[in-house]
Amino acid sequence: MVPQSNLRCCTFSACPPSARPRTQHPHRADVRIEGRSGLSSGWSTAQFPTTTSRSAEADMSDERRFDILSPEFHAKPFTTLDRMRTEGPVVRLRLPIVGRTWLAASHESCAELLKNSQDFARDPANAGSRTQKRILKVLPRTLGLLASNMLGHDDPEHRRLRALVDEAFQRRTIAALKPTIVQTADRLLDKLDGKPEVDLMAEFCRDLPLSVICAMLGLPEKDHDRFKNWLGGLKETANVFAVIRAIPGVISVVRYLRRVSRPGGGALPEGLIAALREAEIERQRLSEDEIVSMIFLLFGAGQETTTHLISGGLYALLTNSDQLSRLRQDPGLMPTCIEECLRYVSPVQMTKPRFATRDLIWQGRQFRRGEMFAAFLAAANCDPARFERPHTFDITRHPNPHLSFGTGVHFCLGFQLARAEASIGIQRILDRFPDLLLARGAEDIRWHKRLGIRALARLPVRLAA
């Protein structure tokens, strides 16, 4: 799992955001992303008040190009990330669909953005925009409730929801879940015995987190395959049309979750769904809509992003044979290995947006109320100001102050689960298949076209020499 600010939750709105006036700043340099589409499941048009544009001539005169969504970028991101930081700690890009956004590109600016909840709000309404509220009114209720999750709120509402969810989470410790993770990993690996070559993405990396989050929530095992089919459309969200095609599956998931979250609806009593339903602090409880929205959010965080942490971590090890050999010789290095995977892979590339709550001077620039910001975690995690040899994959790196779990009030809710799943998953597969190798050259490994998340399309491996 990843920072609350990063958890992937679709609102599936194809509606274009309405425009609002914008004060011009003639000395700012806009940066345009190469490519026309690529909205990831973590970014929702319901959350972005866009700005009116200047003339096309003015736009072209001060724009520079940065590709942060193509498969080529995800295969070799460091050159682009370094080039971005030379522009300064905050760089403005024109993101697909959502428009101009200021990206914090240094470790310091990312950390400051995520910690400063007074000057930067998650809810655009707290920055003077009514766009999200208007869009939510026209969305079908089934989809609208997904946009109204904990991640979109500021305090005090965020604090209320977070406290209730924390109360539910505390009932199940990670230590209690580890046997389930081990059993699930071994069951999936049993199916691979005797196969000379497999796609680990399809056969292991995707199924492990999905099965674990289903078990953690307390969903009946017979329903797990249904969830794989329903959520299958979320694997490809490279443009708005892919998102639209995923809507029927999302509606089915929401209807199912609404039923199963009710008393007697089928959720197991020891699972997180029951704990969310029963959580109470100062006579406050989660509503049914809040429970459904939170469960869906946990699926995004507990399945997709952890999938790409495990697959990206395995890919990093398989393409850095010296580090793989070192880990095999000393399995006690697994904890620092996982931290380095979080930094080096950066499966979640950027956070959900924040909005300036007032006119302010920050990072040496002047900004206006309502301007949109996001922390570009991938750039922060390879900032040479904080990391020695940032382009090097080093499983002994310590300290490792990566920001993959975020920081501040939206720090990742499930960071312990993410670490446990990745460490157990990687260790079990390395133990089972000591001759594990990539079945293709690194140049033939394909990455998805995504904005905000770094995702392998396939991970073909040879299980035996």
Side-chain angles (χ1 to χ4, degrees):
M1 292 187 186
V2 291
Q4 283 190 47
S5 50
N6 304 339
L7 302 182
R8 328 304 295 172
C9 180
C10 298
T11 60
F12 302 96
S13 168
C15 305
S18 61
R20 61 173 172 79
R22 175 168 65 88
T23 302
Q24 302 301 331
H25 301 282
H27 300 296
R28 293 181 182 172
D30 290 349
V31 182
R32 186 157 62 95
I33 290 181
E34 293 178 344
R36 301 189 51 158
S37 63
L39 185 67
S40 86
S41 57
W43 289 69
S44 160
T45 56
Q47 297 170 327
F48 303 106
T50 59
T51 60
T52 54
S53 61
R54 295 173 290 177
S55 67
E57 293 80 9
D59 278 343
M60 293 303 295
S61 67
D62 67 358
E63 283 181 356
R64 286 174 294 281
R65 292 176 181 264
F66 285 106
D67 166 20
I68 62 170
L69 62 92
S70 74
E72 292 75 22
F73 164 72
H74 291 305
K76 296 181 178 180
F78 293 125
T79 300
T80 298
L81 298 177
D82 290 346
R83 199 158 52 89
M84 284 183 67
R85 276 193 308 276
T86 64
E87 298 291 330
V90 189
V91 180
R92 185 158 63 175
L93 277 74
R94 190 168 58 176
L95 300 180
I97 300 178
V98 301
R100 289 183 175 85
T101 304
W102 288 97
L103 291 188
S106 70
H107 191 284
E108 179 187 19
S109 61
C110 282
E112 285 189 13
L113 177 64
L114 297 177
K115 289 178 180 178
N116 187 347
S117 55
Q118 284 192 323
D119 294 329
F120 301 101
R122 275 291 296 115
D123 185 349
N126 292 329
S129 172
R130 300 180 182 274
T131 301
Q132 178 168 311
K133 186 175 181 180
R134 288 196 294 266
I135 291 177
L136 290 178
K137 284 184 177 180
V138 301
L139 281 178
R141 184 170 181 271
T142 300
L143 301 181
L145 74 88
L146 299 182
S148 303
N149 61 67
M150 178 172 64
L151 304 190
H153 292 291
D154 299 303
D155 288 340
E157 181 62 6
H158 170 266
R159 188 186 304 114
R160 178 187 74 86
L161 294 170
R162 175 80 182 224
L164 287 166
V165 174
D166 280 342
E167 170 78 9
F169 258 77
Q170 289 171 7
R171 299 189 187 187
R172 293 212 72 182
T173 66
I174 299 303
L177 271 174
K178 283 185 177 179
T180 299
I181 300 172
V182 170
Q183 291 169 10
T184 303
D186 287 348
R187 174 174 53 82
L188 293 171
L189 295 176
D190 287 343
K191 298 178 182 179
L192 306 184
D193 281 337
K195 295 182 179 181
E197 183 175 320
V198 299
D199 173 16
L200 281 182
M201 179 64 73
E203 301 287 346
F204 182 78
C205 300
R206 192 172 295 282
D207 279 359
L208 176 61
L210 178 59
S211 297
V212 169
I213 195 65
C214 284
M216 181 181 181
L217 289 168
L219 297 180
E221 189 170 350
K222 63 182 177 61
D223 293 339
H224 293 190
D225 286 341
R226 279 203 288 174
F227 264 88
K228 292 178 188 179
N229 294 330
W230 284 336
L231 298 177
L234 305 189
K235 292 184 293 184
E236 297 284 353
T237 52
N239 56 57
V240 71
F241 301 107
V243 172
I244 291 172
R245 288 194 297 270
I247 288 177
V250 174
I251 291 176
S252 296
V253 169
V254 171
R255 288 174 178 169
Y256 171 83
L257 292 178
R258 188 176 295 281
R259 174 176 60 80
V260 81
S261 67
R262 294 168 179 163
L268 302 179
E270 66 273 17
L272 185 58
I273 290 177
L276 288 169
R277 189 173 61 235
E278 296 165 4
E280 182 176 349
I281 296 178
E282 296 179 353
R283 298 185 178 181
Q284 292 194 36
R285 291 193 172 197
L286 295 169
S287 69
E288 183 177 283
D289 281 355
E290 289 169 344
I291 292 173
V292 171
S293 180
M294 189 63 210
I295 296 170
F296 194 86
L297 189 63
L298 289 171
F299 267 112
Q303 191 262 334
E304 185 185 34
T305 56
T306 311
T307 289
H308 302 307
L309 171 59
I310 296 171
S311 58
L314 283 167
Y315 176 78
L317 286 164
L318 292 171
T319 52
N320 291 271
S321 57
D322 59 327
Q323 299 301 299
L324 178 58
S325 297
R326 199 167 188 177
L327 182 62
R328 287 193 183 280
Q329 292 167 8
D330 184 2
L333 291 173
M334 185 60 77
T336 54
C337 174
I338 297 304
E339 298 308 304
E340 181 67 345
C341 290
L342 284 159
R343 183 199 72 84
Y344 185 83
V345 176
S346 289
V348 175
Q349 301 274 283
M350 69 177 68
T351 67
K352 280 177 171 280
R354 268 97 172 137
F355 302 88
T357 60
R358 62 181 180 89
D359 295 353
L360 77 159
I361 297 175
W362 183 64
Q363 295 292 328
R365 289 183 179 271
Q366 182 176 346
F367 300 99
R368 296 297 184 187
R369 186 186 190 210
E371 290 198 85
M372 185 164 58
F373 299 77
F376 201 13
L377 304 179
N381 285 344
C382 64
D383 186 347
R386 289 306 304 270
F387 301 96
E388 293 185 7
R389 299 176 296 111
H391 299 182
T392 300
F393 181 64
D394 178 4
I395 65 170
T396 66
R397 188 184 296 274
H398 183 79
N400 194 338
H402 65 77
L403 293 177
S404 293
F405 290 130
T407 187
V409 298
H410 286 281
F411 185 78
C412 176
L413 186 68
F415 70 99
Q416 291 179 323
L417 179 61
R419 285 171 170 152
E421 287 186 276
S423 61
I424 291 172
I426 291 175
Q427 189 66 65
R428 301 305 281 190
I429 198 166
L430 294 181
D431 288 347
R432 180 72 69 96
F433 302 108
D435 298 318
L436 187 71
L437 293 170
L438 277 178
R440 307 283 186 277
E443 66 279 4
D444 296 322
I445 299 297
R446 190 169 66 85
W447 298 78
H448 279 298
K449 181 179 181 178
R450 298 290 293 272
L451 173 64
I453 194 164
R454 191 178 181 208
L456 283 164
R458 298 178 69 248
L459 184 56
V461 299
R462 291 193 181 96
L463 301 180

